[in-house]
Amino acid sequence: IGREEVPPPAEMSSFLDAVRVGDAVTAPSELRTIGAQETIEATLRKLGKHKILSLPVVAKGAASAHKYLGIISAADILLHLLFNEQFVSALEELETEELSIKDFNHDVESLLQAPVKSIIGQRSESKLVFLIRPEAPLSKVVGHFAQGVHRVLIGTNDKPKQHWLFTQSDAVRYLRRHLTHELVAPTARLTLEELGLAAGPKNMVSVSPKDSAAAAFQKLMSTRWTRKSNFDSTGDEKCVWDLSALPILDSKSHVVNMRRSLARHTKRPHISKYMRQIGTISQSDLRGIKTENLHEVTTIELDTP
């Protein structure tokens, strides 16, 4: 945590400079947004319905690209709940069976009736909207991602209906399809240690397989790291971000093989299938979260027997 950005090797830099952002986007889908006055519950339902992780928040009636007030993610909503005394109290009563699932949902419902705009800014990223032109080099977007940004908008101010989200995962998928490219392969063959990206033990933040999902997500979203800012729009020399993922380690600091995934112990497999394979918990694991399954995501242990 707090490590300075490590520049990519020269070959990879050349590749990223040569690719246009617009060319890295495959089959862009319609940009889904949520109105600023819509409730948190409506936002959660829209995220769950479309199995997406974030929604740009727009001002009603705005016609220009400046309509965006921020970008709210499933993680922002969960953060809002996990550090709310009423939600935590209801969660504890649910775990001790003092509260039924029906009553738990009823108690939590009031917390979800606030307008979604009210939680913009709880995390630094939710209030920052980066609009990148399609002809910009991919290196510009990757530079944002290296600073801690999870997603940017691609498009131009004069065509607000032709905007789409481009995420860290999209960039990784694009690079994965080009691993054999002569400019990518030399970097792809290097280890994280050779790239200077392997953190030492003193920088390691992790969770235990016996932690509840709620505790794990609390740690994930309350652990902050700081990077020097290259963004004029932040108004500060440094940006403070939360982490994208945490490793799940046993008592011997070994990564746990998560064959018993969260998905297996819920009525619907809304937790990412990748969690079973790599032994991490991440914001991506919130894909498909809904009002109806909040109790499932937050109460079970990460490695329930």
Side-chain angles (χ1 to χ4, degrees), residues 207-231:
V207 291
S208 162
K210 293 303 180 183
D211 286 336
S212 69
F217 280 119
Q218 279 182 324
K219 180 175 284 190
L220 176 67
M221 290 181 284
S222 63
T223 304
R224 299 288 191 262
W225 61 285
T226 303
R227 279 281 176 90
K228 184 176 181 181
S229 173
N230 292 331
F231 309 136

Side-chain angles (χ1 to χ4, degrees), residues 88-101:
V88 173
S89 176
L91 205 58
E92 291 173 348
E93 291 182 14
L94 180 65
E95 290 177 322
T96 57
E97 299 184 350
E98 297 176 41
L99 206 62
S100 67
I101 293 175

